[in-house]
Amino acid sequence: MPSAAAANPASPPAVQAAMSLARESRLLASSASILGWDQETMMPSGGLEHRARQLAQLARLEHGMATDPRLGDALSAAEAEVASLPETHPDRVNVRECRRDYDKATKLPADLVEELASVASIAQHEWAEARKASDFARFRPWLERIVELNRRKADCFGWDRADGERWDALADSFEPGCTAKHVSGVFGPLRERLVPLIEAVRTAPRRPDGRFNDHPMDIDAQERFGRFVCGALGFDFARGRLDRSTHPFCGGSHCNDVRMTSRYSERCLLDGLGSSMHETGHGMYEQGLDPAWISTPMGEAVSLSIHESQSRLWENQVGRGMPFCTWAKAQMGRHFGTAADGFTAAQVYEAANMVEPGFIRVDADEATYNLHVMVRFELERAMISGALEAKDLPGEWNRLYKEYLGLTVPDDRRGCLQDVHWSGGMIGYFPTYTLGTLYAAQFFETAREAIPGLEEGFARGEFRALRDWLNANIHRQGRRWLSDDLCRQVTGKTLGADAFLRHLEGKLRPMYGI
Ligand code: ZN
């Protein structure tokens, strides 16, 4: 087995030299990632100040390695060596993607990077205070600065001036190749069918039975049950962990050391279970990356949206389906004694699929979640283009919530101040949540065609065929293709909303009698 530090011996010499340098910064980043995980799960609160210094030092060193001119020179030499190889050859992919990362890292001047980091750190504090007091005026000057700095950042990266817009350059950091035009081309048809579907649910003749969402279960037993389910889905606990944290996430250092976290609610088993299954999707993507290519693009995930497609697939396509609910309900006796005896699998299923428009994105159900994302995409796009001034954000936010979700936003705390992303300087991030949801539905339809009896197997607790299919078709591909090219490779089609809408309508129409 090749060691993580050595270059791949089959690669030509200039490629090996470039990859050795590229691996250095990635190796350091993987150490920072373990410290970050430790901070959220194990570290006593007294460690915070020193940990911040440790992480800042590692980030500085990593940036130095990632922008080292020697790496740029080594990549130029490697580019000549791989020029005649096919586009998807691992060596060519590694050189191309390292060049993409290097150009991104070197295009921003150091003073802009520093200014962004320091403004974002104050802005996050001001945002937290403003949110508590529901006081948009307090956050507004910081939002204006964040938008201004992001516009400068986009200008440093550059974008297609004939056919694109500034927002594209920002989204590219989270989702390589993503453009506002592509996103709105996918979101438009989704919104057209989603808004009337949710309206029909609101006024539906039948109300599903949601009582299982309000049924206290022992927290420690929930955690043990979560571990049991994640293991059954195919997460390898010899190469990963599941711990508790305030905000669930998936981190770790590489494919053989994946650190997931979840959180549990006393009142509702499905909250914690859904979050554990979500992180397991992320975790199995990380574990499925090719160990032969550790610390190179061929051993890395494609993008945020493809990562999110893996988590949403296990959380929504599998976890909210009747076959899974049937199996999971049958396992509850072993973990909870008689605590869930009063419920049937059908009641668990209905509770998992309730649709309830609300103000808060992170609490939203599978259907309305995407409308929350669309509002944010439209508003950040308009702020970056200059069509919307920060001072007009609350009014526009509230207008879109009325139009898309039929809700009157009562205050900015439950409105435009609810998310951390913009205060942290992250513009161009939100659409990846919904793109991931749509990729998940499209991948799952393809998997169902490819694997006979797939969902019947779920009802018996057999999930490995799906994990192995995702492993071969998505995880092992590394960064060989950008998101939408991967989608075409796997499903034969470019990304659209149809598969997701079929999935949603197929469940909600019978459940609500519409
Ligand atoms: Zn996620």
Side-chain angles (χ1 to χ4, degrees):
M1 199 163 134
S3 100
N8 192 309
S11 302
V15 175
Q16 287 197 40
M19 289 309 117
S20 295
L21 285 172
R23 278 187 170 105
E24 292 296 310
S25 65
R26 288 167 154 84
L27 194 58
L28 200 65
S30 72
S31 306
S33 174
I34 295 296
L35 288 182
W37 168 84
D38 174 72
Q39 179 174 327
E40 299 300 319
T41 53
M42 302 288 164
M43 190 185 78
S45 59
L48 197 59
E49 211 176 311
H50 193 73
R51 180 56 47 87
R53 281 197 290 272
Q54 291 175 315
L55 288 171
Q57 183 193 42
L58 289 178
R60 217 168 30 244
L61 290 171
E62 185 205 335
H63 184 72
M65 290 177 184
T67 56
D68 187 337
R70 287 180 308 154
L71 174 58
D73 294 343
L75 285 170
S76 300
E79 277 159 354
E81 224 170 37
V82 299
S84 58
L85 294 175
E87 291 277 351
T88 55
H89 186 284
D91 287 328
R92 184 146 183 194
V93 171
N94 272 343
V95 173
R96 180 191 73 213
E97 294 301 310
C98 279
R99 166 63 70 187
R100 182 194 304 278
D101 298 342
Y102 181 78
D103 285 351
K104 267 230 121 83
T106 50
K107 271 180 179 169
L108 294 184
D111 58 343
L112 180 58
V113 174
E114 264 172 49
E115 196 177 350
L116 264 164
S118 78
V119 167
S121 102
I122 308 168
Q124 278 196 309
H125 173 77
E126 290 298 307
W127 160 77
E129 294 299 315
R131 182 171 77 156
K132 252 186 255 164
S134 198
D135 178 8
F136 178 74
R138 177 165 183 170
F139 179 53
R140 185 183 126 194
W142 295 99
L143 180 61
E144 282 166 352
R145 285 195 69 186
I146 296 262
V147 169
E148 178 48 35
L149 288 169
N150 267 283
R151 288 165 62 96
R152 274 170 57 196
K153 187 174 158 185
D155 290 348
C156 293
F157 287 146
W159 74 93
D160 180 350
R161 296 201 178 232
D163 199 32
E165 57 188 77
R166 257 199 190 91
W167 183 90
D168 302 347
L170 300 172
D172 193 76
S173 301
F174 308 110
E175 191 63 26
C178 181
T179 64
K181 202 174 170 181
H182 169 70
V183 172
S184 54
V186 175
F187 282 10
L190 173 62
R191 191 177 59 241
E192 266 168 40
R193 279 167 63 187
L194 204 48
V195 170
L197 178 66
I198 290 165
E199 183 52 32
V201 162
R202 281 161 72 99
T203 54
R206 180 175 187 275
R207 298 308 301 167
D209 181 350
R211 275 176 296 169
F212 193 63
N213 284 332
D214 198 5
H215 179 68
M217 309 266 269
D218 179 71
I219 291 271
D220 293 330
Q222 285 194 39
E223 187 172 35
R224 285 192 297 274
F225 184 63
R227 283 214 179 88
F228 162 74
V229 171
C230 296
L233 299 183
F235 185 79
D236 179 359
F237 280 97
R239 299 189 296 131
R241 296 181 55 91
L242 173 64
D243 295 275
R244 288 191 202 184
S245 70
T246 315
H247 303 287
F249 67 93
C250 175
S253 75
H254 70 303
C255 60
N256 295 326
D257 181 4
V258 176
R259 312 285 178 99
M260 313 189 292
T261 69
S262 189
R263 64 171 167 211
Y264 309 91
S265 127
E266 179 97 47
R267 195 177 58 82
C268 176
L269 169 70
L270 298 179
D271 279 358
L273 184 62
S275 130
S276 302
M277 290 179 75
H278 180 101
E279 298 310 329
T280 297
H282 285 305
M284 291 198 294
Y285 189 178
E286 291 295 320
Q287 289 189 333
L289 294 169
D290 193 340
W293 295 109
I294 283 173
S295 296
T296 72
M298 274 303 294
E300 289 174 344
V302 182
S303 66
L304 286 188
S305 75
I306 297 298
H307 228 305
E308 195 67 6
S309 78
Q310 300 305 289
S311 56
R312 302 274 166 167
L313 191 148
W314 289 99
E315 180 190 2
N316 294 336
Q317 305 290 325
V318 178
R320 294 182 199 270
M322 192 60 207
F324 174 82
C325 292
T326 304
W327 171 77
K329 176 65 185 57
Q331 309 307 311
M332 286 180 197
R334 270 172 56 204
H335 292 86
F336 299 102
T338 57
D341 279 5
F343 293 89
T344 63
Q347 285 171 303
V348 174
Y349 169 79
E350 292 206 346
N353 286 289
M354 297 282 290
V355 171
E356 212 88 63
F359 301 112
I360 306 298
R361 175 184 60 86
V362 296
D363 296 335
D365 56 75
E366 192 186 359
T368 58
Y369 189 92
N370 302 292
L371 296 174
H372 292 266
V373 170
M374 287 179 205
V375 169
R376 288 152 178 79
F377 164 60
E378 287 184 33
L379 295 173
E380 67 177 21
R381 183 187 187 185
M383 284 194 287
I384 292 299
S385 79
L388 176 68
E389 288 184 50
K391 73 174 169 53
D392 298 322
L393 178 70
E396 270 305 286
W397 180 286
N398 298 351
R399 186 182 68 75
L400 289 173
Y401 264 74
K402 185 79 197 161
E403 189 181 325
Y404 293 175
L405 286 143
L407 297 174
T408 304
V409 177
D411 50 39
D412 293 335
R413 187 170 60 83
R414 281 170 285 184
C416 66
L417 288 175
Q418 67 182 270
D419 299 299
V420 67
H421 301 59
W422 291 337
S423 73
M426 289 191 289
I427 295 181
Y429 188 112
F430 280 119
T432 65
Y433 294 124
T434 285
L435 293 173
T437 300
L438 302 180
Y439 280 127
Q442 207 162 313
F443 290 149
F444 190 71
E445 274 198 352
T446 307
R448 206 165 40 197
E449 280 165 31
I451 308 167
L454 180 67
E455 287 177 290
E456 291 86 335
F458 295 166
R460 297 188 298 267
E462 294 159 14
F463 304 100
R464 296 300 163 92
L466 178 59
R467 187 203 62 179
D468 293 347
W469 185 88
L470 294 168
N471 194 233
N473 288 283
I474 295 168
H475 311 162
R476 287 278 168 150
Q477 302 302 321
R479 289 167 66 182
R480 187 171 261 143
W481 291 287
L482 295 184
S483 307
D484 208 48
D485 298 327
L486 175 71
C487 180
R488 268 197 299 273
Q489 286 294 326
V490 175
T491 71
K493 286 179 291 226
T494 188
L495 180 67
D498 288 351
F500 176 68
L501 286 161
R502 270 193 293 276
H503 157 78
L504 212 53
E505 287 173 353
K507 284 198 298 196
L508 299 183
R509 292 206 181 283
M511 208 174 103
Y512 282 91
I514 49 177

